[in-house]
Amino acid sequence: MRNVRNLILTIIAVVLFAFFLDKAPELLNGYWQRILNLIAINAILALSLNLIYGITGMFSLGHAGFMAIGAYVSALLVLSPAQKNSMWILEDIYPWLLNVNAPFIVSLIIAGLVAAFFGLLVALPVLRLGGDYLGIATLGFAEIIRILITNTARLTNGSLGLKGIPAYTTLFMSWSCLGIVLLCTVCMLRSNFGGVLRAVRDDEVAAKMMGINTFKIKVIAFTLGCFGGGLGGALMGNLITTIDPRMFMITQTYNVLMIIVVGGLGSVTGSLIGSVLVTTMLEWLRFVENPITIGSINIPGIPGMRMVIFSLLLIMVIIFRREGIMGMREFSWNIFFPKKKITDVGSKTETVLELENVKLKFGGLSAIDNLSMKIKHWEIVGLIGPNGAGKTSAFNVISGFYKPTSGTIKFLGKSIGGLSPDEVCKAGMSRTFQNIRLFGNQTVLQNVMIGSRIRQKYSWWMTLLPFVFTDVIKEDAEARAQAMNLLDQLGLDAFADEKASSLPYGAQRRLEIARALATRPRFLLLDEPAAGMNPQESEELMKFIRRLRDEFDLTILLIEHDMKVVMNVCDYIHVLDQGVHIAEGTPAEIKANPRVVEAYLGAGAAEGGAA
Amino acid sequence: MELNIFVQHFINALSLGSLYGLVAVGYTMVYGILRLINFAHGDIFMLGAYFVYFATIVYKLNWGVGVVIAIILTTICGLLVDRIAYKPLREAPRISALISAIGVSFFIENFAVVVFTGMPRPVVQPPILMKPIEFSNGVRLIPLGILVPVVAFLLVGALLWLLYCTKPGLAMRAISFDIETTRMMGVSVNKIIALAFGLGSALAAVAGIMWALRYPRVEPFMGMTPGIKAFIAAVFGGIGSVPGAMIGGLILGFVEIMSVAFFPTLSGYKDAFAFLLLILILLFRPTGLLGEKLEDKI
Amino acid sequence: MDDRTMLKIEKLNVNYGAIQAVRDVSISINRGEIVTLIGANGAGKSSIIRAIMGLVKSHSEEMTFISPRDGKPVSIQGKPAEAHVKLGISLSPEGRRILPQLTVEENLTLGAYIRDDAKGISDDMEYVYSLFPRLKERRKQKGSTLSGGEQQMLAVGRALMSRPDLLMLDEPSLGLAPILVDEVFGIIREINAQGRTILLVEQNAFDVLEVGAVGLSGTGAELLNDPKVRAAYLGG
């Protein structure tokens, strides 16, 4: 019901706005039409950079370069041969280029595609970098593109730029483009693929463990964002009719960055609001640079003052409201309708894995030394030892985060040593982390749905047009139902729409397990599931772990310090000390093993368990 | 290539490189401590040049006095930038401080346009620095070309002494590894951060002054390109490492000058070399020449 | 208030977002004591000690430190960590937090950052070297090249360099071989015998109690009643 209502409201709003745009040329003067056009173009640019940075978390400073590519490609396609002939003064234009021509709409698409192609070229090498380095590398590419444009005069007319580009960017064109971009963005972000993008931003390590090839996801998001950059640049060129390389300096990227930061990083609504505010403000502030006459007094315009005021406002926004206007929230019609409050509900024999002589070294330090173990189907196995014994390192080797220095790891009969975490996950293994790694900004339901992405068959590009590729909607609905089912089984259903980071500690632990189960693993690794639980909670956890094994037909390997949990729940125990596998056996054997007592349990442990 | 011309290029490269290095040191210190790309650093450099211009050419002060005043004023500006635009954001996500830095950069550049106008102004060089010295083998050098690298090396040497032989220097190095632990040792972290900004700004001021002498003019946007290139030099040398920044600056200076000297047709692409170098080093040695490898924590 | 009280905390609370890590904990420590906080991983022990040091935001009804130097009670609630060091509190943090690129000697010098008495500093450095002769051998080596045990010694030594009246040690046995654990705890008792009050955090009760048993010749149960070693078990 709610969805139908919201859809109707959206359609009404769009129709009203289209009607307004249709009448705009009569209602508004050229100045305001220009501002409206700029708003639409800036919104396209902001949405595309937001996809790269706000949603997927890749700090890119290269947008101006992709805009430049788009602007030049489109301009070269729409300029007439006669215009080109008269413009290339210093050097001759390439003959093949002289007669290339395309209608405006085609030129826009080609502009976007060429920018996306360059984006892909850039992405493949540099997206392996993280954080600020990525920012600097992309900034470097944008500058190189600009320098190339300046120096390839036969292609681009060099520093003279292109003039007299037909002003094809009408209000109708710019806003239709924005409409399409916005529709595709929203559809994609609402699909499970959108959840995957945010998951990569929130926690790349955990995303890998959900079976997601995060590099591929980043390349897709970056390339799509570059398409938007090219499209925006093309529209811009056809609006102001003159382009030259100096237009696409780093300041251009900063402008777009400011829009998404002011609006709220990661929020589509924020990008739209930011575009309106920043564009209007920048245009409106022009008055300080124009001479003003009040009565008989003439105040001369002050050049530069506009950007001074603007930069001060920007600094103030960052210092006093750094999450921007929207934060990560999105607009929804629901805010006009009261929401029902959720009341809190209480929480209700074959070898699977074989390690042989696995060694792991960091530099000269040996983290794991010659670890061999066998884990059989349906077993619950404990891995214990003092802090720093190499337990978590063992988990990281098994789940593919570290490559073993030597030795073999076989999972379900196949060697998995050297596979990446996402491949290991696809092979049927899943894990939790010692320090819980949820996708904190997403809801509980979304967290679990990301786990089912590896089983979904639709491709990412279908999410741009879910009404055409209805598989997206169908499969997402299935994933949602399965996720709800899991939440229900783990007593988390009441929290489904809450933000994961807002959950109580114990519930976050269970959510992490639910998310791991969503990948349908056959083998589950639990890293200190009882950490931070009180005795009563760990009691429940023990029952829960057994239930998990029974209901999901799992084999479980767990690291745990709480000896009561380990001794009661595990069928078999391995003990590590300083990277060396010092003992294995049933709980009773381990309790009686003098080496274990000496290295780990301490003399009092044999009788009592932990204090 | 004749010896004379080669020596000219060599000295040019050396002084350009050491100017990049001086600016890069400021980037690397701030980045090492706060993980912040201080985009306003290039504009601080520009302020140094303007202050010396006003002191010596407009107010006709003696060059020595003018230089001292310019360094002091620029340092104050650097400290103010930290105090106003960065300090309130210490606990914020890093992007906030980065955007703030971009805002400050815009502000200083455009404020300079408002106050100084956008017109480039010529700098009158003191004749003593420009009188060529002739050597017996026909090589001619102007004193300024030698002064620039000498001053730069002395200053970086002094900075290294401060970092490695004094208590505040020890604290500064410690902060760059672990702010919280350093705080536990009783170090007032904000004071040390201010010290880093102050030192960086003073070095940028010196670089700005020498830049204004070498390319004898000042204009509000003169800090932009050298600023970005100096940052690249810092990344190239291994960000966080002071000697690395200087080496990175020198390599960049040599690549730019020598590539154009040997391949004059490439002069249009001069500015691209810096970025090309940057991308290459990031791909093959992401931590830069002297940077330390950091282990990912899972 | 006992006139031997050094640190008094009433109803301490620490929150990380929605997670409450510490709830209404009250602690009182007397001069000359070794007090140990024991509890499972995640029970909030480290949070307590970090709150005392001023490294995390916390709320409490009272958090007072009475310096034996002048006997004046000072509220340390909300004060930054560097102010604590000047009052006479120091912390050897969880995970050692050695500065990896600084030498052993530089790490120790940094520990004495608030002091200006060159003579006293070099005396204390010798004292630390006498406690941990291994550190003296390695004093020119970078922190990152030390083994886990040596790093732990360095962390304890560094915390001593500010001449604290209250020394807080967060899991000094973490990741150490059992023999080293003995050694470290022996030294902790030695430090205590020289008049420093110690607040210790440990995960494994057996470590503390057993090691204590060796040194003080009593069983774990007796030790719990021993005024010298008090253990406050913290549930989750």
Side-chain angles (χ1 to χ4, degrees):
Chain A
M1 266 320 284
R2 235 166 57 175
N3 290 339
V4 175
R5 179 199 71 204
N6 291 350
L7 185 64
I8 293 170
L9 287 170
T10 307
I11 291 170
I12 292 172
V14 168
V15 168
L16 283 177
F17 192 73
F19 187 70
F20 164 71
L21 281 182
D22 186 45
K23 295 279 169 239
E26 296 143 47
L27 294 170
L28 302 171
N29 59 22
Y31 175 71
W32 280 104
Q33 285 188 35
R34 183 186 147 92
I35 290 186
L36 269 183
N37 265 318
L38 280 175
I39 288 176
I41 295 169
N42 279 336
I44 292 173
L45 294 170
L47 284 173
S48 55
L49 188 61
N50 205 0
L51 176 68
I52 296 175
Y53 184 36
I55 308 285
T56 322
M58 297 175 287
F59 181 41
S60 168
L61 290 176
H63 231 52
F66 301 108
M67 286 171 65
I69 292 173
Y72 270 92
V73 168
S74 164
L76 289 172
L77 287 173
V78 295
L79 280 169
S80 68
Q83 277 176 304
K84 288 178 192 169
N85 236 341
S86 64
M87 220 177 324
W88 267 254
I89 304 165
L90 295 179
E91 289 183 51
D92 288 334
I93 187 170
Y94 288 117
W96 58 268
L97 190 62
L98 189 62
N99 294 312
V100 171
N101 217 298
F104 180 52
I105 294 181
V106 177
S107 88
L108 285 182
I109 295 168
I110 296 177
L113 288 177
V114 175
F117 174 73
F118 274 87
L120 186 67
L121 282 186
V122 172
L124 290 175
V126 304
L127 285 190
R128 304 208 177 267
L129 299 168
D132 295 346
Y133 288 126
L134 176 61
I136 295 300
T138 45
L139 187 158
F141 266 108
E143 277 299 297
I144 289 176
I145 286 169
R146 215 169 59 79
I147 292 165
L148 281 177
I149 290 175
T150 314
N151 285 285
T152 48
R154 295 194 72 185
L155 188 67
T156 63
N157 204 21
S159 56
L160 295 178
L162 302 176
K163 295 183 186 66
I165 305 165
Y168 286 137
T169 304
T170 57
L171 277 180
F172 173 76
M173 276 313 297
S174 60
W175 282 88
S176 324
C177 285
L178 173 60
I180 294 166
V181 169
L182 184 63
L183 182 70
C184 291
T185 309
V186 170
C187 288
M188 184 168 75
L189 293 183
R190 284 199 176 174
S191 76
N192 201 16
F193 180 73
V196 169
L197 290 177
R198 293 191 198 91
V200 170
R201 170 196 67 196
D202 284 353
D203 194 327
E204 204 175 331
V205 166
K208 282 183 188 163
M209 210 53 238
M210 298 293 103
I212 293 163
N213 180 343
T214 53
F215 182 70
K216 184 177 145 197
I217 299 291
K218 290 202 277 188
V219 170
I220 291 170
F222 190 84
T223 310
L224 281 175
C226 292
F227 181 92
L231 177 65
L235 286 166
M236 184 86 90
N238 285 282
L239 177 70
I240 52 187
T241 70
T242 306
I243 54 175
D244 69 66
R246 277 184 310 276
M247 246 180 78
F248 301 100
M249 303 228 286
I250 179 76
T251 19
Q252 190 63 253
T253 304
Y254 291 164
N255 272 337
V256 185
L257 192 60
M258 261 183 255
I259 291 174
I260 60 177
V261 169
V262 166
L265 269 178
S267 164
V268 170
T269 319
S271 291
L272 297 179
I273 295 177
S275 311
V276 173
L277 284 182
V278 172
T279 313
T280 321
M281 182 79 86
L282 271 175
E283 292 299 315
W284 176 72
L285 277 175
R286 280 188 197 281
F287 84 90
V288 295
E289 296 194 352
N290 296 328
I292 310 167
T293 313
I294 305 167
S296 58
I297 313 160
N298 261 314
I299 304 169
I302 312 163
M305 201 59 190
R306 178 171 79 112
M307 289 308 286
V308 168
I309 297 174
F310 185 72
S311 55
L312 279 180
L313 289 174
L314 175 74
I315 295 171
M316 263 148 52
V317 167
I318 281 297
I319 292 181
F320 297 111
R321 196 180 163 80
R322 72 175 78 112
E323 72 279 16
I325 292 161
M326 292 301 286
M328 282 196 187
R329 293 182 305 262
E330 293 291 357
F331 169 79
S332 155
W333 293 109
N334 295 341
I335 56 173
F336 299 113
F337 303 91
K339 183 183 159 190
K340 270 184 278 168
K341 191 87 188 135
I342 305 166
T343 47
D344 187 20
V345 182
S347 50
K348 311 185 226 180
T349 341
E350 99 235 57
T351 303
V352 173
L353 183 77
E354 189 174 358
L355 269 64
E356 220 173 328
N357 297 325
V358 170
K359 277 188 197 172
L360 177 69
K361 282 188 179 165
F362 295 117
L365 287 173
S366 175
I368 302 173
D369 197 20
N370 264 344
L371 178 62
S372 299
M373 62 164 130
K374 238 184 211 178
I375 295 173
K376 294 202 188 75
H377 180 63
W378 195 251
E379 265 183 340
I380 298 178
V381 180
L383 187 58
I384 65 172
N387 274 313
K391 305 180 301 275
T392 298
S393 293
F395 264 37
N396 286 338
V397 168
I398 295 170
S399 55
F401 284 101
Y402 296 158
K403 224 182 212 164
T405 313
S406 65
T408 54
I409 305 173
K410 274 190 183 162
F411 177 59
L412 300 172
K414 273 182 287 187
S415 172
I416 56 163
L419 288 191
S420 62
D422 50 307
E423 291 163 333
V424 170
C425 172
K426 282 176 192 146
M429 191 190 298
S430 194
R431 73 174 279 188
T432 65
F433 297 88
Q434 191 177 346
N435 43 343
I436 309 175
R437 304 188 79 130
L438 292 170
F439 307 123
N441 289 312
Q442 305 196 55
T443 66
V444 168
L445 183 65
Q446 280 169 336
N447 264 276
V448 179
M449 280 177 67
I450 288 162
S452 56
R453 175 69 188 133
I454 53 163
R455 291 194 315 276
Q456 292 183 321
K457 289 187 191 70
Y458 68 74
S459 296
W460 60 269
W461 49 269
M462 297 182 183
T463 63
L464 294 166
L465 295 166
F467 311 110
V468 182
F469 306 101
T470 48
D471 279 2
V472 174
I473 298 171
K474 214 168 65 196
E475 285 189 45
D476 275 359
E478 265 169 42
R480 185 170 295 113
Q482 287 165 0
M484 275 314 290
N485 204 9
L486 261 175
L487 290 177
D488 192 29
Q489 280 175 288
L490 272 70
L492 289 166
D493 43 334
F495 297 116
D497 294 323
E498 303 290 313
K499 230 174 146 185
S501 59
S502 72
L503 256 55
Y505 185 75
Q508 291 199 5
R509 281 249 169 246
R510 268 181 291 147
L511 172 56
E512 215 193 6
I513 295 174
R515 192 183 61 180
L517 291 175
T519 63
R520 299 254 173 99
R522 298 192 54 193
F523 182 53
L524 184 62
L525 296 148
L526 301 174
D527 198 345
E528 297 206 31
M533 293 192 170
N534 60 31
Q536 187 205 337
E537 281 173 333
S538 20
E539 189 86 26
E540 277 169 28
L541 180 81
M542 285 188 266
K543 287 185 205 149
F544 176 65
I545 291 175
R546 287 196 173 281
R547 220 186 75 203
L548 278 184
R549 190 246 323 249
D550 298 346
E551 285 180 15
F552 295 90
D553 188 27
L554 287 170
T555 307
I556 296 175
L557 176 64
L558 59 95
I559 294 177
E560 190 47 69
H561 278 291
D562 189 332
M563 278 308 121
K564 217 168 150 196
V565 170
V566 176
M567 294 300 171
N568 285 323
V569 83
C570 292
D571 304 311
Y572 202 77
I573 295 172
H574 294 268
V575 188
L576 287 183
D577 183 30
Q578 308 210 357
V580 181
H581 188 205
I582 59 168
E584 61 182 289
T586 61
E589 288 164 3
I590 291 296
K591 273 189 210 170
N593 185 320
R595 265 188 90 181
V596 179
V597 172
E598 184 201 357
Y600 183 53
L601 297 177
E607 304 92 53
Chain B
M1 187 177 287
E2 280 177 56
L3 177 69
N4 180 24
I5 295 177
F6 179 78
V7 172
Q8 295 288 351
H9 284 310
F10 186 86
I11 293 290
N12 271 346
L14 197 62
S15 56
L16 179 66
S18 49
L19 286 177
Y20 283 151
L22 272 186
V23 182
V25 165
Y27 276 113
T28 225
M29 281 200 292
V30 169
Y31 191 91
I33 292 174
L34 296 176
R35 301 285 179 271
L36 164 70
I37 304 175
N38 180 11
F39 278 110
H41 194 60
D43 305 303
I44 294 286
F45 158 95
M46 174 272 290
L47 287 180
Y50 262 99
F51 287 140
V52 88
Y53 170 83
F54 274 92
T56 59
I57 289 160
V58 177
Y59 293 102
K60 309 272 186 235
L61 292 172
N62 169 301
W63 264 93
V65 179
V67 165
V68 171
I69 291 179
I71 293 175
I72 293 172
L73 287 179
T74 314
T75 308
I76 293 173
C77 290
L79 291 174
L80 280 177
V81 166
D82 172 48
R83 181 66 196 78
I84 295 168
Y86 302 151
K87 192 161 168 251
L89 297 169
R90 292 271 200 270
E91 312 289 321
R94 291 194 307 134
I95 178 64
S96 303
L98 197 73
I99 301 285
S100 192
I102 292 172
V104 172
S105 171
F106 271 23
F107 174 77
I108 298 179
E109 282 164 13
N110 289 286
F111 192 73
V113 171
V114 170
V115 179
F116 308 139
T117 77
M119 290 289 289
R121 296 162 184 244
V123 172
V124 185
Q125 298 150 313
I128 185 166
L129 291 178
M130 305 311 293
K131 209 175 89 192
I133 308 168
E134 210 144 331
F135 291 88
S136 53
N137 54 5
V139 174
R140 282 162 55 108
L141 292 175
I142 46 167
L144 182 65
I146 301 163
L147 181 75
V148 170
V150 168
V151 169
F153 278 101
L154 283 179
L155 287 176
V156 171
L159 180 67
L160 286 174
W161 172 81
L162 184 124
L163 279 177
Y164 287 89
C165 302
T166 68
K167 229 162 75 163
L170 177 64
M172 207 182 288
R173 281 186 293 145
I175 287 179
S176 65
F177 302 121
D178 189 338
I179 288 193
E180 196 182 77
T181 303
T182 314
R183 186 169 273 157
M184 276 181 231
M185 303 294 123
V187 178
S188 302
V189 167
N190 278 325
K191 278 190 200 154
I192 299 293
I193 293 174
L195 178 67
F197 271 96
L199 287 172
S201 305
L203 294 183
V206 176
I209 292 165
M210 296 199 289
W211 190 282
L213 285 170
R214 256 188 110 235
Y215 307 89
R217 60 178 209 158
V218 289
E219 51 116 355
F221 296 96
M222 66 182 278
M224 246 168 108
T225 312
I228 290 182
K229 285 191 190 155
F231 181 73
I232 289 173
V235 174
F236 194 85
I239 194 124
S241 157
V242 169
M246 198 63 195
I247 294 171
L250 286 173
I251 292 178
L252 199 57
F254 272 90
V255 169
E256 276 192 13
I257 299 278
M258 292 303 178
S259 54
V260 175
F262 286 98
F263 309 99
T265 46
L266 290 180
S267 62
Y269 293 91
K270 189 183 71 146
D271 288 343
F273 294 138
F275 295 104
L276 215 59
L277 266 186
L278 169 81
I279 288 159
L280 287 179
I281 192 132
L282 285 179
L283 292 179
F284 294 105
R285 196 179 154 82
T287 51
L289 291 177
L290 300 186
E292 292 289 332
K293 175 134 177 61
L294 300 170
E295 196 68 58
D296 282 348
K297 189 100 184 122
I298 293 172
Chain C
M1 198 183 283
D2 190 324
D3 60 348
R4 286 177 55 236
T5 307
M6 178 179 255
L7 181 71
K8 189 160 192 297
I9 296 170
E10 284 292 327
K11 298 211 166 157
L12 175 70
N13 284 280
V14 180
N15 295 302
Y16 302 115
I19 302 169
Q20 183 161 31
V22 177
R23 186 179 308 153
D24 287 341
V25 170
S26 300
I27 299 174
S28 165
I29 299 173
N30 291 335
R31 226 177 288 161
E33 280 184 330
I34 298 183
V35 175
T36 309
L37 302 174
I38 301 170
N41 204 349
K45 300 161 304 195
S46 287
S47 299
I48 293 175
I49 228 167
R50 289 167 59 78
I52 297 175
M53 196 65 199
L55 295 169
V56 290
K57 278 207 182 112
S58 64
H59 308 280
S60 65
E61 286 181 3
E62 185 185 355
M63 197 193 280
T64 312
F65 179 71
I66 302 130
S67 167
R69 297 171 194 175
D70 55 10
K72 262 190 260 163
V74 183
S75 171
I76 52 170
Q77 176 72 61
K79 289 236 174 90
E82 53 262 35
H84 289 61
V85 183
K86 292 186 180 116
L87 280 172
I89 305 175
S90 80
L91 168 63
S92 157
E94 183 182 16
R96 302 158 196 150
R97 305 286 282 269
I98 292 303
L99 295 158
Q101 297 298 316
L102 302 188
T103 65
V104 168
E105 201 160 277
E106 285 174 330
N107 267 288
L108 291 175
T109 311
L110 192 68
Y113 189 80
I114 53 158
R115 298 169 56 189
D116 284 318
D117 53 327
K119 175 79 178 68
I121 293 175
S122 72
D123 285 352
D124 281 4
M125 204 172 287
E126 280 312 310
Y127 167 63
V128 169
Y129 286 150
S130 73
L131 287 176
F132 306 108
R134 289 266 280 290
L135 292 183
K136 185 163 192 173
E137 291 165 27
R138 296 177 190 249
R139 66 179 189 279
K140 295 287 174 206
Q141 285 187 18
K142 283 188 177 177
S144 57
T145 65
L146 300 186
S147 73
E150 290 161 349
Q151 289 190 358
Q152 188 59 60
M153 294 172 191
L154 181 54
V156 174
R158 189 177 61 181
L160 281 171
M161 288 300 291
S162 63
R163 286 218 178 148
D165 297 307
L166 174 62
L167 174 63
M168 301 196 287
L169 302 165
D170 197 345
E171 300 215 30
S173 71
L174 193 109
L176 295 190
I179 305 141
L180 279 176
V181 175
D182 283 356
E183 198 182 321
V184 166
F185 278 96
I187 287 165
I188 290 170
R189 274 192 309 277
E190 203 180 315
I191 295 166
N192 173 245
Q194 282 157 356
R196 294 193 209 286
T197 310
I198 289 173
L199 176 58
L200 188 65
V201 156
E202 271 301 327
Q203 180 170 239
N204 194 335
F206 299 109
D207 272 352
V208 182
L209 299 182
E210 194 198 342
V211 171
V214 177
L216 296 165
S217 54
T219 64
E222 281 166 17
L223 278 170
L224 282 172
N225 301 319
D226 190 323
K228 195 97 176 102
V229 179
R230 290 205 330 243
Y233 181 79
L234 298 162

